[in-house]
Amino acid sequence: MDSAAFDPETDEGCSLAHITIKRTYDKLQEEGYEDEAESLREPGGQRQKALKLRKEHLQGWDPLNGD
């Protein structure tokens, strides 16, 4: 997953990493963090970026449970 850029409009992967990145992207957009969400589209390290952004902006939110 980390080798290619993430594109929320066309990516339909089903790996756990993809699901968490996609849900993090969507939640960041929903919460008004558009720039941060768009940073997940840059190639390389999306999984680590998503984790960092969740810790910074979505504390307590679980991308797998939606809580």
Side-chain angles (χ1 to χ4, degrees):
M1 177 76 209
D2 286 355
S3 62
F6 166 72
D7 185 346
E9 285 128 27
T10 60
D11 287 357
E12 296 183 12
C14 60
S15 72
L16 185 58
H18 174 86
I19 291 167
T20 59
I21 292 167
K22 171 73 170 117
R23 289 181 181 172
T24 299
Y25 176 90
D26 291 343
K27 185 69 170 176
L28 287 166
Q29 289 279 338
E30 180 183 314
E31 296 292 322
Y33 297 109
E34 290 87 3
D35 292 340
E36 291 84 346
E38 289 302 314
S39 74
L40 291 173
R41 297 178 76 154
E42 298 168 6
Q46 290 96 348
R47 191 174 17 191
Q48 290 82 9
K49 285 181 201 174
L51 177 61
K52 180 181 177 213
L53 290 169
R54 281 195 310 272
K55 286 181 179 180
E56 289 177 7
H57 303 293
L58 306 172
Q59 295 176 4
W61 178 76
D62 182 350
L64 299 179
N65 294 323
D67 303 6

